[in-house]
Amino acid sequence: MLVVALVPVGWSYGNYLTAPGDAPLTVRSSDWLRDHGFETVVNDVEQWWYTRKRPTGSAPPPGDIATGLRHAVATPARAVVPDHAMTASTHPRPGEAIWTAVGGLAARTGVQQTFLQPDAAAPSVIASVVRFDQRDVRTVLVPGTREPGGTWAWHSEIPVSARSTVVAAFNAGFKFRHTPGGFYSEGRHAVRPLQAGLASLVVHRDGTADVADWGRDAQLTPDVVSVRQNLALIVDGGHPVAGLSSDRGLRWGTKKSQFQYTWRSAVGVDAHGRLIYAAGSQMTLVQLATALVDAGAVRAMQLDIHDGVVTFNWYRPRPGSALGVAAQKLTPSMQRSATRYLQPDQRDFIAIQAR
């Protein structure tokens, strides 16, 4: 009888293991547990685990520094891009806080990267930051097979037809069961209608994107083609939002999740309208917000968090190759495949294309 009773369980779990995408076993298993009545248990385990992984050391792990910046030289980098980001380091490393052009992309100009130390008390914690000049690139919000689900134009991947112009792709926000936010694209809502007061990535008809407090900074007009909402802004008016460390009302996730030392990612915009992505391991929410401000963001929203979830991949054109692109992770320590998003993915994501 026990074997018979376990058959539906095994069938259900098997479906999660074989669903499209390259999600690792740990992520698929966590998803299955959450969806089958163990949400509180998983949250408690994550809280216990990530609050005990306090970062140590006097320098960041080599794998957390983008490959293209490990041997960067300050003088040539300044010559390429003259302005700087801020950093808490008293002795910045080569390439740190200096915007360095990214080469070999379909967008020949307008894409820079750097890394920052947002907290002088945690010298091993750094944020990798990428900045996109939206005069040179356009943004596409790509729905996932399960988040939000449904059938969409790009079928939850970067299609072959778009790969000659794709520059990068990165993870979107929390699962929709973990945020009150909604989703809008291709002329229709998914999951739920858009909610006022929430942080929103807003994509316009011309391909430019903004990060907004929905209802205050943006609304659904004919010019808006896509909106992805996720929690509340973490940067507003060029400063970290007050209350990040207390998280009253659970505006930024589950209770005390803001103190977890974990992978975190975010997207923002600066005063010049440039799109800024930031990610790092073993970061608290305050450190993430500080990194966005140090990079020049005036508004920013947290995207997704935790090991095996945060993803940023570069895609460089390789005509005639099997994939049509050469894929590379932003940092070696990011855990998902560099080819993620070149096949249907369960989670929604953001793609950046050359104009």
Side-chain angles (χ1 to χ4, degrees), residues 171-345:
N171 61 279
F174 283 19
K175 282 188 167 185
F176 287 99
R177 67 184 297 170
H178 299 141
T179 172
F183 187 101
Y184 175 85
S185 196
E186 299 180 25
R188 68 186 195 267
H189 292 86
V191 184
R192 64 182 67 91
L194 300 172
Q195 306 295 306
L198 293 185
S200 306
L201 178 71
V202 182
V203 183
H204 299 284
R205 197 163 299 279
D206 64 359
T208 60
D210 194 8
V211 175
D213 180 303
W214 190 254
R216 185 196 71 180
D217 307 317
Q219 56 186 337
L220 195 57
T221 65
D223 183 54
V224 173
V225 296
S226 299
V227 182
R228 208 307 182 176
Q229 296 190 308
N230 194 53
L231 309 174
L233 290 176
I234 62 172
V235 173
D236 199 12
H239 302 282
V241 174
L244 290 178
S245 60
S246 61
D247 193 17
R248 291 180 181 175
L250 304 182
R251 298 178 65 204
W252 296 285
T254 57
K255 186 178 180 180
K256 296 185 178 181
S257 64
Q258 72 273 21
F259 297 123
Q260 293 179 7
Y261 305 105
T262 188
W263 271 101
R264 296 183 187 270
S265 59
V267 65
V269 289
D270 69 10
H272 301 284
R274 292 173 293 204
L275 198 66
I276 299 175
Y277 173 90
S281 66
Q282 292 190 290
M283 298 186 78
T284 65
L285 183 57
V286 170
Q287 290 170 341
L288 179 66
T290 301
L292 266 295
V293 171
D294 291 348
V298 293
R299 290 183 302 281
M301 59 187 282
Q302 181 171 241
L303 294 173
D304 214 346
I305 67 175
H306 289 157
D307 299 350
V309 177
V310 174
T311 298
F312 182 109
N313 292 329
W314 297 115
Y315 302 110
R316 292 178 169 87
R318 292 295 184 272
S321 64
L323 296 176
V325 294
Q328 181 186 36
K329 294 187 284 187
L330 175 61
T331 67
S333 58
M334 285 186 169
Q335 298 171 6
R336 299 293 285 272
S337 169
T339 59
R340 187 183 183 187
Y341 306 133
L342 299 180
Q343 57 182 312
D345 201 86

Side-chain angles (χ1 to χ4, degrees), residues 46 53 69 119 121 141 146 177 186 238 264 275 282 289 308 332:
E46 286 180 346
K53 293 181 64 179
L69 295 177
D119 186 351
L141 177 62
R146 290 192 175 183
R177 67 184 297 170
E186 299 180 25
R264 296 183 187 270
L275 198 66
Q282 292 190 290

Side-chain angles (χ1 to χ4, degrees), residues 12-262:
S12 172
Y13 183 51
N15 283 339
Y16 276 67
L17 295 181
T18 57
D22 72 340
L25 176 63
T26 52
V27 172
R28 294 173 185 265
S29 298
S30 176
D31 288 346
W32 185 87
L33 288 169
R34 288 184 185 279
D35 293 344
H36 290 81
F38 294 93
E39 179 85 37
T40 300
V41 174
V42 174
N43 286 342
D44 288 345
V45 170
E46 286 180 346
Q47 183 67 21
W48 179 87
W49 175 252
Y50 288 117
T51 54
R52 283 158 177 76
K53 293 181 64 179
R54 181 181 293 274
T56 59
S58 58
D64 282 0
I65 299 177
T67 304
L69 295 177
R70 290 187 186 180
H71 304 292
V73 179
T75 301
R78 287 195 183 99
V80 174
V81 185
D83 54 329
H84 297 251
M86 297 174 62
T87 186
S89 297
T90 55
H91 301 287
R93 296 166 179 79
E96 183 176 347
I98 299 170
W99 291 109
T100 302
V102 182
L105 305 174
R108 298 184 182 277
T109 59
V111 183
Q112 297 92 32
Q113 65 178 329
T114 190
F115 66 96
L116 308 172
Q117 183 190 103
D119 186 351
S124 66
V125 174
I126 61 170
S128 291
V129 188
V130 179
R131 186 172 71 177
F132 299 98
D133 188 326
Q134 299 197 78
R135 296 171 297 182
D136 300 304
V137 302
R138 59 186 297 113
T139 299
V140 180
L141 177 62
V142 186
T145 59
R146 290 192 175 183
E147 301 289 328
T151 302
W152 306 84
W154 276 24
H155 300 288
S156 305
E157 65 178 323
I158 300 170
V160 173
S161 61
R163 293 182 188 174
S164 63
T165 58
V166 71
V167 170
F170 52 88
N171 61 279
F174 283 19
K175 282 188 167 185
F176 287 99
R177 67 184 297 170
H178 299 141
T179 172
F183 187 101
Y184 175 85
S185 196
E186 299 180 25
R188 68 186 195 267
H189 292 86
V191 184
R192 64 182 67 91
L194 300 172
Q195 306 295 306
L198 293 185
S200 306
L201 178 71
V202 182
V203 183
H204 299 284
R205 197 163 299 279
D206 64 359
T208 60
D210 194 8
V211 175
D213 180 303
W214 190 254
R216 185 196 71 180
D217 307 317
Q219 56 186 337
L220 195 57
T221 65
D223 183 54
V224 173
V225 296
S226 299
V227 182
R228 208 307 182 176
Q229 296 190 308
N230 194 53
L231 309 174
L233 290 176
I234 62 172
V235 173
D236 199 12
H239 302 282
V241 174
L244 290 178
S245 60
S246 61
D247 193 17
R248 291 180 181 175
L250 304 182
R251 298 178 65 204
W252 296 285
T254 57
K255 186 178 180 180
K256 296 185 178 181
S257 64
Q258 72 273 21
F259 297 123
Q260 293 179 7
Y261 305 105
T262 188

